[in-house]
């Protein structure tokens, strides 16, 4: 029964796709799946009362993070890590790119951007 329903939906959508009528195709898709939500759903705190902020995410990654230093064969006592991300954290490259991009934008905001190409025609 479910296959029959999907086939009927596909049969209704196919003519719109064949004629490249995007408006009718999208309207028909909305009738099946409902309207598209406005962006992603925010993550909420444990008590589901407030959305999490960027600072909250950073604290979650740093929570309980400790480090030790090996110096000349002597291992230090564990100490809390209060900034940065864990080694091999999937978020580390993303955070680096965001911070690096912001730093470059601030550093070069007043400069005239462009590429100066110099070449010779005498061989």
């Amino acid at each position: 029964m479910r296959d029959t329903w999907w086939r009927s939906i596909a049969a209704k959508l196919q003519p719109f796709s064949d004629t490249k009528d995007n408006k009718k195709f999208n309207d028909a898709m909305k009738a099946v799946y409902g309207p598209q939500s406005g962006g992603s759903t925010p993550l909420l705190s444990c008590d589901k009362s407030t959305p999490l902020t960027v600072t909250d995410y950073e604290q979650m990654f740093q929570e309980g993070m400790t480090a030790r230093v090996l110096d000349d064969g002597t291992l230090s006592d564990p100490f809390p890590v209060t900034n940065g991300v864990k080694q091999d954290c999937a978020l580390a490259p993303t955070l680096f790119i965001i911070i690096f991009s912001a730093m470059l934008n601030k550093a070069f905001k007043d400069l005239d951007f462009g590429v100066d190409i110099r070449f010779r025609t005498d061989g």
Side-chain angles (χ1 to χ4, degrees):
M1 179 153 172
R2 187 176 181 116
D3 289 338
T4 306
W5 182 81
W6 278 113
R7 283 191 188 103
S8 70
I9 295 297
K12 290 177 187 175
L13 291 173
Q14 192 62 50
F16 304 137
S17 177
D18 292 341
T19 59
K20 297 186 179 6
D21 190 345
N22 291 334
K23 177 159 179 27
K24 288 182 180 177
F25 182 80
N26 288 332
D27 289 343
M29 290 295 286
K30 286 179 190 174
V32 175
Y33 293 107
Q36 183 179 7
S37 65
S40 59
T41 305
L43 293 176
L44 299 176
S45 60
C46 291
D47 61 1
K48 296 187 180 0
S49 63
T50 56
L52 296 173
T53 64
V54 174
T55 306
D56 295 330
Y57 290 123
E58 290 172 0
Q59 289 173 353
M60 286 186 333
F61 280 104
Q62 295 170 355
E63 193 172 306
M65 190 164 58
T66 60
R68 299 173 84 175
V69 177
L70 181 63
D71 180 36
D72 199 25
T74 306
L75 195 61
S76 72
D77 293 332
F79 56 90
V81 177
T82 57
N83 59 10
V85 292
K86 295 178 183 176
Q87 194 169 2
D88 293 331
C89 175
L91 200 57
T94 306
L95 291 174
F96 172 77
I97 292 297
I98 290 170
I99 298 299
F100 191 65
S101 175
M103 182 193 69
L104 288 176
N105 282 335
K106 180 133 178 113
F108 297 112
K109 70 178 179 181
D110 295 328
L111 294 180
D112 186 24
F113 285 100
V115 177
D116 185 27
I117 301 176
R118 297 174 189 229
F119 58 93
R120 292 181 8 189
T121 58
D122 60 353

